[in-house]
Every structure is written in C-alpha cells, then in structure tokens.
Amino acid sequence: MSVCIALPSCEIRSWQTRDAEALARCANSRAIWLNLRDAFPHPFTKRDADAYIRSVRKRSPQTAFAIVVDGEAVGSIAFKPQQDVERVSAEVGYFLAEPFWGRGIATEALVAVTSHAIETYGLTRLFAVPFAWNTASCRVLEKAGYSLEGRLYRSAIKDGIITDQLQYAFIATDRPPLGSRD
C-alpha cells in the first residue's frame, strides 16, 4: 500500500528508489546525526541511502515515509510499532535537512503521521525519546500535541557523551483502546 499525504508545506509519501540521492544529500549532516540513534551512520552515503530505502520498502506494515518538499525528499519520518503488551504503542522519529529547519515542516509532518498511525493501525499511543539537548525536536513534539511524560536520566550515550532523554507521548483519547473492557 503506497502512502501519500499532501500537506500545505510538504508531502508525506512512501519512499521510492529514486529518492536515494536526495536522501544521501540531506542526511549527510553531523548536526542531524547528533540527534539520531547510532544505527544512523555518519557520514551518510548513497550506499546507506539505497540500503535504507530497500529496508523500509520491505516493511509490512509500511511505517517509514519521505518528507518531500518541491518534489524532493528532504527528510524522513517513521514510527516503530511496539510488541507484546505494548502493541498499541509506537515510537516515532524524524529528521529534516538543515535548510528546512524552522519552517514548521517537521511539526506538520509529525501531526499527519501521528494521525495516520492512530487511524490506520489502531494505535492508542505514540511516543518519542529525544536527547535532552535537542530542544528543537522537543518543541516540534510539543507543537504537534505531544506531552512531556518524564526525563530518563543518563539513559543514553551519543558521540561519547552520556545524556538524558526526554519522553514525550501523544495519547489517542478520542476513542476507547482496541479490545478495551468498557
């Protein structure tokens, strides 16, 4: 199932193999890498972009999408459904190329993907755990309706620095959880 969500400032759509060069250009940034998990390499090459796109296109359900501005992929947004008793939750993550920071694009994309995840997969909760130093991402989460749930002290290491993470969540309160016993 191909996904395409048209928004005022961008489009959220399924990754396409032709996006690899644009992804390599926008993702090859130390500033982006510093705010992502270590599984995201730096430098980020065309080979990394090809491998990433192949990987996400194989996922079922489809949970990773390109953020597209003027026909070019300029970022990525994804959610990872949890397992077992947490299967009604998903972790969300995103990045946007530096020239597009501060324009509201990440917030708009996050609102759209949050709604898509809840409506399409019946999720009741999406959450994110940005590094505490990533104030811009925290602001995106807050503007998208996510609430700060807590601080995870000394819970991560990035670039050799042990740091706190902040846990944000969006709770779908407009309907009862799937399988609830109301």
Side-chain angles (χ1 to χ4, degrees):
M1 166 177 105
S2 186
V3 171
C4 184
I5 304 168
L7 302 168
S9 67
C10 67
E11 175 184 356
I12 306 302
R13 67 160 166 76
S14 302
W15 281 103
Q16 300 170 359
T17 53
R18 66 180 168 87
D19 293 324
E21 286 188 30
L23 175 59
R25 273 193 312 275
C26 75
N28 189 28
S29 161
R30 181 167 168 76
I32 289 172
W33 173 81
L34 280 171
N35 291 302
L36 298 176
R37 295 180 182 270
D38 283 346
F40 189 90
H42 182 71
F44 192 92
T45 65
K46 168 98 169 28
R47 175 178 276 165
D48 295 318
D50 287 331
Y52 176 76
I53 292 170
R54 267 194 314 275
S55 168
V56 299
R57 287 176 55 89
K58 290 179 187 174
R59 290 183 193 165
S60 183
Q62 188 176 143
T63 60
F65 310 100
I67 300 172
V68 178
V69 174
D70 296 330
E72 184 167 304
V74 298
S76 182
I77 187 163
F79 61 94
K80 180 180 177 185
Q82 301 300 286
Q83 302 294 315
D84 200 7
V85 297
E86 289 92 15
R87 66 188 172 271
V88 295
S89 296
E91 181 176 5
V92 67
Y94 48 86
F95 75 84
L96 193 60
E98 291 175 77
F100 299 90
W101 291 1
R103 296 187 192 179
I105 295 169
T107 300
E108 190 175 68
L110 181 57
V111 168
V113 169
T114 298
S115 293
H116 172 75
I118 290 167
E119 292 166 10
T120 306
Y121 300 103
L123 299 173
T124 61
R125 179 177 189 277
L126 273 80
F127 69 95
V129 285
F131 299 120
W133 64 59
N134 191 350
T135 57
S137 188
C138 294
R139 184 70 187 122
V140 166
L141 289 159
E142 291 164 2
K143 289 190 315 187
Y146 283 66
S147 298
L148 178 63
E149 292 186 319
R151 185 176 202 100
L152 307 171
Y153 292 95
R154 299 178 55 82
S155 59
I157 185 167
K158 183 65 181 186
D159 199 28
I161 299 168
I162 294 177
T163 187
D164 297 351
Q165 294 177 96
L166 301 176
Q167 182 153 326
Y168 282 85
F170 183 94
I171 309 301
T173 56
D174 59 341
R175 68 183 85 149
L178 294 177
S180 67
R181 297 179 185 225
D182 293 343

